[in-house]
Amino acid sequence: MSESSSSSSSPTEEIVRLIKRLSAYVTFKMSSLFSTPIRNLDSRSVGAIAGLAIAVIFTWRALRTTGEPQRRQPKRRMQPAETSQSNLPSNPPHEDNGVQDVVDHFFQPVKPTLGQIVRQKLSEGRKVTCRLLGVILEESSPEELQKQATVRSSVLEVLLEITKYSDLYLMERVLDDESEAKVLEALETAGVFTSGGLVKDKVLFCSTEIGRTSFVRQIEPDWHIDTNLEISTQLARFIKYQLHVSEAKPERTAPNVFTSQSIEQFFGSA
């Protein structure tokens, strides 16, 4: 049992235990020697006293050395904030760029769709009237319609979005029935009646400009789209909003009359 316990003890504990035993033995010997009168001591006794004295000195020194606390390890000085920050692991530049790309992707401004723009521009207008010449058709006069009628391809997408949110009426002044037939055929060929909510009954024809003005006032739309500034001026008192389509911006218009080169440009699809 003693051997197993001693083997498990550390070398420092063994030295301390040995010194304590030696100290006890020296104390016992010193007490027994000094109890004998000095005149009765022989040379062997004197040598024993001297040896014990030397043993006591070495024992005391050993105890002092063993009992001293270990020197404290010098504390490491804290590095300045700049140095410590520089030693911290940093993400590689390409990883930072990747994270930034993800953030930019999720927080980039969302571009509104054409349908959202049309609905916003119309201000929830539920009824729209629009002339054909110069707006929907390539032709700009009734005389041209006697020869042909061509639907502008760039306007089809806007027309489709308008018919989704509003009740759309198309109207134009024509000189004869043949011109009227050409216009309806051109609209049908372009798919206006099949892809949108427009029907042939909502395409109106008249023989004078006053007749078109009468159509608009009877329908009472929220928006009217025209190329004739005089008609737009006359209708400004009766119609909530108007879009005047013209290459040149007029000098003066009513506050509720907007100007644009085309309806595609006005609604942002051009």
Side-chain angles (χ1 to χ4, degrees):
M1 289 294 292
S2 62
E3 290 180 0
S4 61
S5 62
S6 61
S7 61
S8 62
S9 302
S10 63
T12 304
E13 293 177 352
E14 290 292 332
I15 293 173
V16 172
R17 193 179 297 110
L18 180 61
I19 290 174
K20 287 182 179 180
R21 290 178 181 177
L22 180 59
S23 175
Y25 176 75
V26 169
T27 303
F28 172 76
K29 281 294 184 180
M30 289 294 293
S31 61
S32 61
L33 286 174
F34 283 107
S35 62
T36 305
I38 297 177
R39 61 177 178 272
N40 295 332
L41 296 176
D42 53 11
S43 57
R44 288 192 305 172
S45 298
V46 173
I49 293 173
L52 287 173
I54 294 172
V56 169
I57 293 172
F58 278 99
T59 302
W60 175 78
R61 292 187 64 180
L63 287 171
R64 183 181 176 184
T65 304
T66 306
E68 283 183 357
Q70 295 182 353
R71 293 183 179 179
R72 294 182 178 180
Q73 295 292 334
K75 293 183 178 180
R76 298 179 63 182
R77 294 182 179 180
M78 297 297 294
Q79 296 180 346
E82 294 80 7
T83 307
S84 61
Q85 289 293 336
S86 63
N87 293 333
L88 293 176
S90 59
N91 294 331
H94 66 275
E95 291 186 4
D96 293 340
N97 294 337
V99 173
Q100 188 62 40
D101 291 341
V102 174
V103 173
D104 292 342
H105 174 73
F106 281 101
F107 291 95
Q108 63 182 351
V110 179
K111 185 178 180 180
T113 63
L114 178 59
Q116 292 172 335
I117 296 175
V118 169
R119 190 169 185 175
Q120 180 182 8
K121 289 278 189 176
L122 293 178
S123 302
E124 303 297 332
R126 304 307 300 172
K127 194 179 292 186
V128 179
T129 56
C130 177
R131 82 167 299 179
L132 287 162
L133 286 173
V135 181
I136 308 301
L137 302 177
E138 296 283 358
E139 292 73 26
S140 58
S141 67
E143 289 76 17
E144 293 181 69
L145 291 180
Q146 291 179 310
K147 300 178 182 179
Q148 63 180 13
T150 309
V151 176
R152 301 173 60 236
S153 59
S154 59
V155 81
L156 292 175
E157 190 175 5
V158 176
L159 278 182
L160 177 62
E161 295 299 334
I162 293 176
T163 56
K164 287 181 179 179
Y165 302 109
S166 303
D167 193 12
L168 178 63
Y169 293 83
L170 300 179
M171 55 189 65
E172 192 49 66
R173 178 173 74 93
V174 294
L175 300 178
D176 48 40
D177 294 340
E178 289 75 10
S179 298
E180 181 178 335
K182 286 182 176 62
V183 171
L184 291 175
E185 183 181 359
L187 293 173
E188 186 172 8
T189 303
V192 174
F193 300 128
T194 56
S195 58
L198 187 65
V199 295
K200 291 183 180 181
D201 292 339
K202 292 182 180 180
V203 182
L204 310 176
F205 297 96
C206 58
S207 59
T208 63
E209 293 291 277
I210 298 177
R212 189 166 78 252
T213 305
S214 299
F215 281 155
V216 175
R217 293 195 58 181
Q218 290 175 16
I219 296 173
E220 296 181 344
D222 299 299
W223 276 84
H224 176 64
I225 304 172
D226 211 299
T227 59
N228 191 320
L229 181 58
E230 184 179 354
I231 292 180
S232 298
T233 303
Q234 294 175 2
L235 293 174
R237 295 181 300 166
F238 309 102
I239 308 304
K240 188 175 182 180
Y241 300 109
Q242 289 190 87
L243 174 61
H244 174 63
V245 177
S246 175
E247 292 290 338
K249 187 175 181 180
E251 294 182 0
R252 296 182 62 183
T253 57
N256 61 338
V257 177
F258 301 90
T259 303
S260 180
Q261 295 182 358
S262 65
I263 61 172
E264 306 98 287
Q265 186 182 70
F266 181 74
F267 290 109
S269 65

